[in-house]
């Protein structure tokens, strides 16, 4: 409902306005939602393609909205970026995720240290507190830096100057892994990769989608094969996302990809799910 002129109860076209009202409503509700604890995190396993073991998980944030139910990040991350709330929200996600990884490691001393991947928005990259907040959280929680991987999208780093790369370089020197997320969707100069402090390429889902049909598109296969060869030559590990079938997983393993993520293994879920999956493959 929109108030127009003197008539406060005049109704606007509900279909036309629903989206705008929701966007505006969601934007103004964000800060209180963070304060009230309406956000939560789901974890999606990252699986070693070589032996099928669970190596860790990616943290994916959700909003349990009191009226709209569970909202995915596509509904609110961009809004949080516009208002700057992404900085405290991102810090909260980082702290929760680091704490969760520490919990997993304590419960699985022998399963090999489970690692945690956390998405970083471009706004967090330019925020001066990024390095000090990250160091502070890792130290306070007691998680080793090499158990953390920060995912930055390829598009956030396109044309990045040294000022933008400096905090990532500092984190990489401390042992934090940096992954180039959604790789292959931007237009990065492949030679430029050497300049970036990244240790993981995360191949975008669009590549795995090309392998959905059988037989897979031979051009897609060639492209992935080329990217894997380039990445390994540069000492980068390759993670593939959006793996939905066993046939895709097998093909990606044959192409030399290192790590996989997708519905074939597990949907994003609560932290105990990951614990159970990791435990299952450590014992059987
Ligand atoms: P992303 O980083 O590319 O994350 C992967 C997305 O693919 C997730 O969507 C995940 O649920 C989905 N996915 C995983 N496996 C499959 C599969 O096999 N098939 C298909 N079709 N989809 C799959 P989600 O959770 O909706 O997240 C969307 C995006 O929101 C993420 O894309 C990421 O860019 C952003 N995001 C999520 N959490 C955070 C966060 O804490 N901070 C920031 N800045 N961004 C976040
Ligand atoms: Ca990601
Ligand atoms: Ca991605
Ligand atoms: Ca993606």
């Amino acid at each position: 409902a929109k108030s127009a002129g003197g008539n406060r109860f005049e109704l606007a076209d509900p279909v036309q306005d629903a989206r705008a009202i929701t966007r505006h409503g969601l934007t103004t509700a964000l800060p209180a939602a963070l304060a009230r604890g309406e956000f939560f995190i789901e974890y999606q396993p990252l699986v070693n393609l070589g032996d099928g073991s669970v190596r860790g998980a990616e943290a994916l944030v959700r909003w349990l909205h009191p009226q709209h139910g569970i909202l995915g990040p596509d509904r609110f991350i961009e809004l949080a970026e516009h208002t700057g709330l992404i900085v405290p929200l991102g810090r909260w996600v980082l702290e929760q995720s680091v704490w969760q990884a520490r919990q997993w490691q304590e419960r699985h001393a022998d399963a090999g240290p489970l690692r945690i991947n956390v998405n970083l928005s471009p706004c967090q990259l330019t925020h001066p507190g990024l390095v000090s907040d990250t160091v502070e959280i890792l130290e306070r929680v007691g998680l080793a830096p090499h158990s953390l991987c920060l995912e930055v999208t390829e598009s956030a780093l396109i044309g990045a100057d040294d000022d933008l790369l400096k905090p990532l370089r500092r984190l990489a020197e401390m042992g934090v892994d940096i992954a180039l997320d959604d790789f292959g969707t931007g237009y990065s100069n492949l030679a430029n990769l050497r300049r970036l402090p990244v240790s993981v390429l995360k191949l975008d889902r669009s590549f795995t989608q090309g392998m959905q049909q059988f037989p897979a598109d031979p051009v897609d296969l060639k492209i992935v094969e080329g990217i894997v060869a380039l990445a390994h030559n540069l000492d980068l590990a390759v993670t593939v996302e959006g793996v939905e079938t066993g046939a895709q997983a097998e093909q990606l393993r044959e192409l030399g990809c290192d790590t996989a993520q997708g519905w074939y293994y597990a949907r994003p879920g609560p932290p105990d799910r990951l614990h159970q999956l990791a435990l299952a493959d450590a014992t059987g």
Side-chain angles (χ1 to χ4, degrees):
K2 185 170 20 183
S3 62
N7 183 358
R8 297 182 51 218
F9 300 103
E10 184 188 335
L11 293 177
D13 176 347
V15 177
Q16 258 218 318
D17 264 22
R19 196 128 196 126
I21 290 169
T22 308
R23 267 180 78 89
H24 179 257
L26 291 182
T27 305
T28 51
L30 275 167
L34 184 58
R36 279 199 295 260
E38 291 173 6
F39 293 99
F40 66 101
I41 300 173
E42 287 193 314
Y43 299 89
Q44 186 175 35
L46 285 153
V47 174
N48 184 335
L49 271 168
D51 63 6
S53 62
V54 176
R55 309 193 48 188
E58 177 175 9
L60 296 159
V61 67
R62 279 91 179 82
W63 180 0
L64 181 54
H65 190 284
Q67 279 91 47
H68 302 298
I70 295 175
L71 302 178
D74 291 338
R75 293 293 299 281
F76 61 85
I77 289 289
E78 189 203 324
L79 304 177
E81 285 173 340
H82 281 297
T83 59
L85 194 84
I86 192 70
V87 170
L89 176 60
R91 197 188 294 125
W92 179 83
V93 171
L94 181 66
E95 171 149 14
Q96 288 295 303
S97 305
V98 163
W99 180 85
Q100 189 56 64
R102 177 71 216 256
Q103 296 296 107
W104 289 328
Q105 293 189 358
E106 276 179 7
R107 294 170 70 181
H108 289 272
D110 12 294
L114 289 173
R115 308 173 75 246
I116 186 73
N117 284 35
V118 179
N119 291 288
L120 270 195
S121 148
C123 312
Q124 291 173 271
L125 270 185
T126 51
H127 188 265
L130 176 66
V131 176
S132 54
D133 285 352
T134 306
V135 171
E136 191 270 326
I137 289 171
L138 287 170
E139 282 179 354
R140 180 157 41 81
V141 176
L143 190 80
H146 61 253
S147 291
L148 173 66
C149 176
L150 296 173
E151 301 193 358
V152 185
T153 59
E154 185 186 21
S155 57
L157 292 186
I158 284 177
D161 59 14
D162 263 4
D163 284 345
L164 194 77
L165 295 179
K166 213 175 278 169
L168 286 183
R169 225 169 250 139
R170 291 258 327 268
L171 291 165
E173 281 161 13
M174 285 168 40
V176 173
D177 265 332
I178 311 291
L180 201 52
D181 202 357
D182 298 348
F183 184 76
T185 57
Y187 301 92
S188 55
N189 178 347
L190 290 180
N192 218 1
L193 276 178
R194 302 180 53 178
R195 210 170 62 86
L196 303 176
V198 300
S199 45
V200 180
L201 286 191
K202 235 180 143 173
L203 268 193
D204 191 67
R205 192 161 74 225
S206 49
F207 289 101
T208 29
Q209 264 161 2
M211 292 180 193
Q212 207 88 275
Q213 72 266 40
F214 186 84
D217 180 346
V219 175
D220 278 339
L221 294 183
K222 281 283 172 216
I223 293 174
V224 174
E225 199 174 11
I227 291 176
V228 171
L230 171 92
H232 286 170
N233 275 330
L234 295 173
D235 273 331
L236 305 174
V238 178
T239 298
V240 282
E241 54 183 24
V243 177
E244 295 182 354
T245 68
Q248 277 177 315
E250 180 51 26
Q251 198 134 49
L252 290 160
R253 194 187 61 77
E254 279 170 12
L255 288 169
C257 297
D258 304 289
T259 309
Q261 178 180 359
W263 296 347
Y264 172 62
Y265 302 101
R267 303 235 173 187
D272 280 357
R273 265 301 297 295
L274 190 90
H275 176 72
Q276 285 153 11
L277 288 168
L279 207 65
D281 75 40
T283 54

